[in-house]
Amino acid sequence: MSEIDVVTIGSATMDVFVESDEANIVSVCSKNKSSDFMSYPYGSKIDMTSFATNIGGGGLNTAINLANLGLKTSAIFKVGDDIYSAGIFDALRKTRVDLTGVVQNKDVSTGFSIILVSFQGDRTVLAHRGANSLINIDDINFDLIKKARLLYIAPLNGESNKVLEPLVKFAHEHGVKVCFNAGTTSLKKGFEHIKKLLEVANIVVMNREEASMCSGIVVRPDTKTEKFSQELIHPDIKKMLEKLKVQEYQVIVITDGSKGAYAYDGMKYYYCPTFPSPVVSTLGAGDAFASTFCAALGRTKLNIGKALMYASVNSAAVVSVFGASEGFLNFEQIEAKLEASPEYTFTLV
């Protein structure tokens, strides 16, 4: 019998949120792709409209969310011995996250991020990874993982990426299910590299940009003759889902921002729209979605469509507040919101 429901591993940061009404969103579109950029007047001094600090990071966000959902949760992350780590520990004392797997090293700096928030609620992150990119195999408490039912792997970048293969192999060998949310370091190595990790993951969650980078498939924009946007799931996203599913037992999920999320279990495609909500900041939305989906599969007895709905509701709650680790709902609150919105549902495609 597992003593722990889930162990999370990933980053922990101190986040500074900055918003300025002088920020511009610049969109550039070509035949094969479109991109958006946040811009400020070059060489100018820009006034801040709002400013806030909070804890964040993929490993930390998911641990707080999963614990809030009622799962017995342990976290593995690495920090320095500085004012930022002190702030992280102080905030975590108010949660039910077990910290016995946390590594503290006075010779490295704690991860730190500056989040530039746009008037649309989306964000650009300037990240100093610090200790987050320096997790090594000796830092990992494998006894914790062996006692868990689920290992949730948030993005691991830099040198920390080297622990991924032994991590997933260990979990797989000890009957611990794996939820994998890839980081850019893994994705940049190409599909053949990441395929080895996908092969032992039960649940894989990526956003559309990450899935495109991993699969090498680009989502084509509409043209004069082809209107892909009229389809519930873009055919290129279907191709991504199919390519990323490399084992029969896997569920693949791709999130697509305000457009919603898609899932594939090898037999059916699922589409779930975003749950209506005001958008203050999108930071942490992906962490909330992915970790809630994993937990909700257990809550709903492996109902993928309902799990997507649970994840969307919790993600919507997170984007409605400032801070990546704020706004999390528990299962009862999620279910109350769904009950109050009977028209909200998923679609089988």
Side-chain angles (χ1 to χ4, degrees), residues 130-141:
N132 294 320
S133 63
L134 299 172
I135 299 173
N136 59 60
I137 202 70
D138 295 329
D139 292 327
I140 297 172
N141 186 332

Side-chain angles (χ1 to χ4, degrees), residues 27-333:
S27 297
V28 178
C29 184
S30 65
K31 182 179 178 180
N32 296 318
K33 67 176 182 177
S34 59
S35 302
D36 295 323
F37 300 88
M38 186 183 296
S39 70
Y40 296 87
Y42 183 67
S44 300
K45 182 178 286 187
I46 308 298
D47 287 333
M48 296 181 193
T49 306
S50 60
F51 175 89
T53 60
N54 206 337
I55 59 173
L60 191 149
N61 292 339
T62 53
I64 294 174
N65 181 42
L66 290 165
N68 188 62
L69 288 169
L71 278 68
K72 189 173 181 181
T73 306
S74 293
I76 298 174
F77 57 80
K78 192 170 188 175
V79 294
D81 185 7
D82 47 34
I83 59 172
Y84 306 124
S85 63
I88 288 172
F89 286 130
D90 185 56
L92 284 173
R93 289 189 189 99
K94 303 169 188 175
T95 72
R96 291 178 292 174
V97 178
D98 170 57
L99 303 178
T100 56
V102 175
V103 177
Q104 189 169 23
N105 186 332
K106 66 179 181 179
D107 296 323
V108 298
S109 59
T110 301
F112 182 85
S113 295
I114 299 173
I115 296 96
L116 305 174
V117 183
S118 81
F119 60 88
Q120 295 177 330
D122 215 335
R123 78 289 182 269
T124 296
V125 181
L126 306 178
H128 168 63
R129 304 203 183 275
N132 294 320
S133 63
L134 299 172
I135 299 173
N136 59 60
I137 202 70
D138 295 329
D139 292 327
I140 297 172
N141 186 332
F142 284 96
D143 285 336
L144 272 181
I145 297 171
K146 191 161 55 174
K147 296 174 183 176
R149 291 189 299 112
L150 174 70
L151 172 64
Y152 183 101
I153 304 176
L156 290 169
N157 294 298
E159 291 297 306
S160 299
N161 188 254
K162 294 178 180 178
V163 307
L164 265 176
E165 285 193 51
L167 254 184
V168 295
K169 182 180 178 182
F170 179 87
H172 192 65
E173 289 174 349
H174 288 82
V176 179
K177 289 183 169 57
V178 175
C179 179
F180 180 46
N181 189 353
T184 54
T185 300
S186 294
L187 297 174
K188 287 177 180 177
K189 292 182 179 180
F191 181 74
E192 290 306 314
H193 166 78
I194 209 165
K195 185 178 178 182
K196 292 181 289 185
L197 306 175
L198 296 176
E199 285 174 345
V200 289
N202 301 81
I203 305 165
V204 179
V205 184
M206 298 183 189
N207 63 37
R208 195 181 86 172
E209 292 73 22
E210 291 165 344
S212 179
M213 188 186 304
C214 178
S215 66
I217 298 169
V218 176
V219 177
R220 294 163 291 173
D222 286 351
T223 65
K224 293 178 182 178
T225 56
E226 294 179 297
K227 303 298 180 184
F228 302 114
S229 60
Q230 295 177 359
E231 301 185 42
L232 208 53
I233 302 182
H234 194 294
D236 293 330
I237 290 178
K238 282 188 175 181
K239 290 178 183 177
M240 289 181 191
L241 290 165
E242 291 164 1
K243 185 169 182 177
L244 293 174
K245 184 172 171 59
V246 296
Q247 292 285 10
E248 183 180 343
Y249 54 77
Q250 288 174 319
V251 177
I252 309 297
V253 178
I254 296 177
T255 60
D256 197 8
S258 61
K259 294 179 182 178
Y262 321 96
Y264 179 57
D265 63 2
M267 296 180 290
K268 300 173 184 175
Y269 299 94
Y270 300 77
Y271 167 70
C272 184
T274 56
F275 191 76
S277 169
V279 178
V280 175
S281 170
T282 58
L283 191 72
D287 296 328
F289 190 100
S291 52
T292 303
F293 178 80
C294 291
L297 281 176
R299 180 79 170 188
T300 63
K301 298 180 180 179
L302 303 180
N303 188 316
I304 293 171
K306 281 189 177 180
L308 288 173
M309 292 168 61
Y310 277 57
S312 184
V313 170
N314 211 5
S315 181
V318 170
V319 303
S320 67
V321 297
F322 225 25
S325 59
E326 299 289 328
F328 294 128
L329 304 177
N330 58 38
F331 276 130
E332 289 72 22
Q333 291 169 321

